[in-house]
Amino acid sequence: RSEKNKTNMDLFRSAKDKQRIEEAAMRMQMQAFMLTYNNLTKRCFVDCVNDFTGRQLTTKEDGCVKNCVEKFFVASQRIHLRFAEQHQLLVEGGAAS
């Protein structure tokens, strides 16, 4: 009977551990997202916004910001695809061994 209780406690602990790990992973993902967002915002602002005489972006600044963000997302997608391809090669290489 104590062995069964021990097993139940182990399952409870592993469920709690799993929940803590998932929560930590979610926090890390949010931090990574916020860091990326902040870096993108800073980069596009510094590169594109030059005229501080008015409250609105100029047409040129607006176009620059849109291009900056679009290029960032295109580059991010390409990088993600390359990592996925490399991961797949590693998995296939590991399975062949």
Side-chain angles (χ1 to χ4, degrees):
R1 187 170 199 194
S2 67
E3 192 64 34
K4 184 177 181 180
N5 286 343
K6 183 178 180 184
T7 302
N8 288 341
M9 286 300 289
D10 290 341
L11 290 174
F12 179 72
R13 283 190 189 130
S14 79
K16 281 248 189 227
D17 290 342
K18 182 180 177 184
Q19 182 180 2
R20 279 191 220 119
I21 290 168
E22 288 173 356
E23 288 170 358
M26 286 175 58
R27 278 192 303 276
M28 288 173 62
Q29 285 177 335
M30 181 55 100
Q31 288 173 339
F33 169 78
M34 292 304 297
L35 180 62
T36 300
Y37 175 80
N38 288 334
N39 287 336
L40 172 63
T41 301
K42 180 180 178 183
R43 173 72 185 251
C44 293
F45 181 84
V46 168
D47 288 353
C48 297
V49 180
N50 304 318
D51 183 0
F52 296 97
T53 60
R55 294 178 59 119
Q56 301 294 320
L57 293 175
T58 65
T59 303
K60 183 178 176 183
E61 290 171 334
D62 188 57
C64 180
V65 169
K66 287 177 182 173
N67 283 336
C68 181
V69 171
E70 185 177 338
K71 285 182 180 184
F72 173 82
F73 283 115
V74 167
S76 294
Q77 288 174 332
R78 287 183 182 163
I79 291 168
H80 176 74
L81 288 173
R82 296 299 172 256
F83 274 114
E85 289 169 359
Q86 291 300 314
H87 176 73
Q88 188 62 35
L89 290 173
L90 287 172
V91 168
E92 290 172 358
S97 298

